[in-house]
Amino acid sequence: MSDFYKAMENRRTIHQLSKEALVPQERLEQVIGNALKLTPTAFNGQEQRLLLLMDKKHDWFWNLVKSTLKAIVPAENFPGTEARINGFLGGVGTILLYQDTTVTKGLQEAFPIYKDNFPIWAMQATGMLKYTLWTSLVEEGYGANIQHYTELVEAEVNKELNIDPAWKMVGQLPFGKAAQAPDAGKTFETIEKRLIVFK
């Protein structure tokens, strides 16, 4: 198996994270920057934006999510929610993923024949970026997962961090040293059921 496919196989959801830094900050920023630079985008739009939250800002973000959820989750259900958020809070950092909607609108104006497709293509590129970031962090030894607590906290985050209002938050990627083994029960449909070949 090639290193590429091995990296794909190793990328698993890890919810329980610890704050042990496995690579220097400079290396971490290089890995994240390379993922951002090299992930393809439609018409080379490059509308994806990333915020890397470390240390106090990482903790601030997940405490914000937790307090926001506490206000809306029924009290009897909150312990499970809190345990999950504490797993993310336990990590070393979080990447907030955004899309710059001014770029998408500019492409729609420049190429009106494709205007309905550009928001779809932007989200597809963001999906590729999420996967690239996640797999790249796993290659550096980290555990990670993807979350979408977007609408709940976006306004507060944007205010705190002075984010351009044209940027739309599209996900969060907390990471840290894995504090749990991946679920061993992952199953796969047969390839024959999902891959149809025509000659």
Side-chain angles (χ1 to χ4, degrees):
M1 182 183 294
S2 73
D3 290 344
F4 177 72
Y5 289 110
K6 194 66 180 169
M8 292 174 68
E9 185 177 65
N10 290 338
R11 185 227 44 84
R12 300 290 298 278
T13 296
I14 304 293
H15 288 125
Q16 297 299 315
L17 305 168
S18 78
K19 291 193 180 298
E20 183 178 342
L22 302 177
V23 298
Q25 176 83 21
E26 183 179 330
R27 171 66 180 166
L28 185 60
E29 291 177 22
Q30 180 184 46
V31 167
I32 293 168
N34 283 340
L36 182 59
K37 177 182 177 181
L38 299 174
T39 299
T41 58
F43 286 65
N44 200 29
Q46 303 179 56
E47 55 266 84
Q48 289 65 37
R49 305 288 183 261
L50 301 177
L51 306 181
L52 175 59
L53 306 184
M54 300 293 291
D55 306 320
K56 291 178 183 177
K57 282 302 182 192
H58 163 81
D59 292 350
W60 166 81
F61 177 80
W62 289 109
N63 281 316
L64 172 65
V65 173
K66 186 162 45 173
S67 64
T68 303
L69 288 170
K70 187 172 185 178
I72 60 174
V73 173
E76 64 272 17
N77 297 336
F78 187 68
T81 298
E82 183 176 34
R84 175 164 286 219
I85 300 303
N86 284 342
F88 311 149
L89 177 61
V92 73
T94 296
I95 301 169
L96 301 185
L97 296 103
Y98 284 80
Q99 287 177 188
D100 185 346
T101 61
T102 59
V103 175
T104 307
K105 288 174 184 172
L107 289 167
Q108 289 175 308
E109 291 168 5
F111 303 97
I113 192 171
Y114 300 121
K115 74 178 176 83
D116 293 338
N117 296 98
F118 280 112
I120 299 168
W121 292 338
M123 193 57 76
Q124 289 172 345
T126 297
M128 288 190 283
L129 177 58
K130 288 178 182 179
Y131 186 80
T132 302
L133 286 165
W134 192 350
T135 306
S136 298
L137 288 168
V138 170
E139 282 295 281
E140 297 299 316
Y142 284 113
N145 61 81
I146 294 285
Q147 298 301 316
H148 300 94
Y149 294 103
T150 304
E151 292 79 6
L152 293 173
V153 297
E154 183 175 16
E156 185 66 28
V157 170
N158 290 358
K159 180 181 175 185
E160 171 74 14
L161 303 179
N162 195 29
I163 302 304
D164 187 326
W167 291 17
K168 172 67 181 159
M169 187 189 289
V170 290
Q172 306 89 38
L173 198 165
F175 62 93
K177 183 178 180 184
Q180 69 173 100
D183 182 4
K186 185 169 185 174
T187 59
F188 297 92
E189 289 278 2
T190 62
I191 296 301
E192 292 76 15
K193 185 173 179 179
R194 300 174 65 196
L195 174 64
I196 301 170
V197 179
F198 295 92
K199 294 184 180 180

